Amino acid sequence: MVVVGIGIRPNTSLFEGQLTLEKGGIKVNGRFQSSNNSVYAVGDVAAFPIKLFGETRRLEHVDSARESARHAVAAIMEPEKTREFDYLPFFYSRVFELSWQFYGDNAGEVVNFGDYSGHTFGAYWINKGHLAGCFLEGGSKEEYEAVAKATRLKPAIEDLAELEEQGLSFALKVSQKPLQEAPPIALEGPLCAWHAIAGVILAASVAAFGFWHGQRHKRR
């Protein structure tokens, strides 16, 4: 048996003509408010601004769903204390003894590193001269934290060959920098009231309602 995960298509038909839709989902701001500020959308159906990329995107992963829901509730309950959502896109998977984590964006040139015949290897994505994303297989907790922090810092990359040679040690070195010190880092060498809560519940249940409605229509 082969299981292929190809993503989903959110059922937003209930909101056509009522809320602003974008990227196949419901467009929201950094507090997950839709174009009707009493309606919130979270999870796979929400197209929200990602500060790291400077654009609106819709993500399909459990971590994004959990974090967006947590942030929306905070924005509803304590709006004056809740900042704009600032999320680092994060994906992971585990298959038996294998596990990997990915941070950022898979855009630009790819630089592979590590021993593919071993247990630890990965790749960097370099876009417009800066680190945009990082994939790591078989890393430790400290190594995963390092690649996440390095991705958020978006250091400048000048020499792809040098980056490949340094491999994981590059992320470990860059991650030592405080997040507030985010200027480009070059390598040596030649290169996001109760009525509002109801809105959250309504938006999050779109997929379930769509499935029920579709099954009922088929039986007819």
Side-chain angles (χ1 to χ4, degrees), residues 90-214:
F90 167 54
F91 304 87
Y92 69 86
S93 187
R94 301 186 186 93
V95 181
F96 301 111
E97 295 182 354
L98 302 176
S99 66
W100 58 262
Q101 294 186 14
F102 175 85
Y103 297 89
D105 192 17
N106 60 338
E109 297 184 72
V110 183
V111 176
N112 300 305
F113 63 84
D115 181 6
Y116 282 86
S117 63
H119 296 289
T120 303
F121 55 86
Y124 294 116
W125 276 260
I126 313 304
N127 191 30
K128 298 179 180 179
H130 290 262
L131 180 65
C134 184
F135 167 92
L136 181 61
E137 163 73 40
S140 65
K141 180 177 182 293
E142 293 73 21
E143 289 169 338
Y144 284 130
E145 290 175 349
V147 296
K149 187 172 180 180
T151 303
R152 186 176 282 282
L153 284 168
K154 298 175 62 176
I157 306 298
E158 296 182 354
D159 190 333
L160 300 185
E162 181 70 15
L163 178 62
E164 181 179 8
E165 184 178 332
Q166 290 195 28
L168 182 56
S169 64
F170 171 76
L172 293 171
K173 180 177 66 175
V174 170
S175 67
Q176 300 304 309
K177 298 285 185 179
L179 278 175
Q180 56 266 33
E181 292 183 13
I185 302 171
L187 289 171
E188 297 178 3
L191 287 316
C192 157
W194 294 104
H195 65 288
I197 296 176
V200 174
I201 296 172
L202 178 62
S205 62
V206 171
F209 176 85
F211 177 77
W212 170 82
H213 182 75

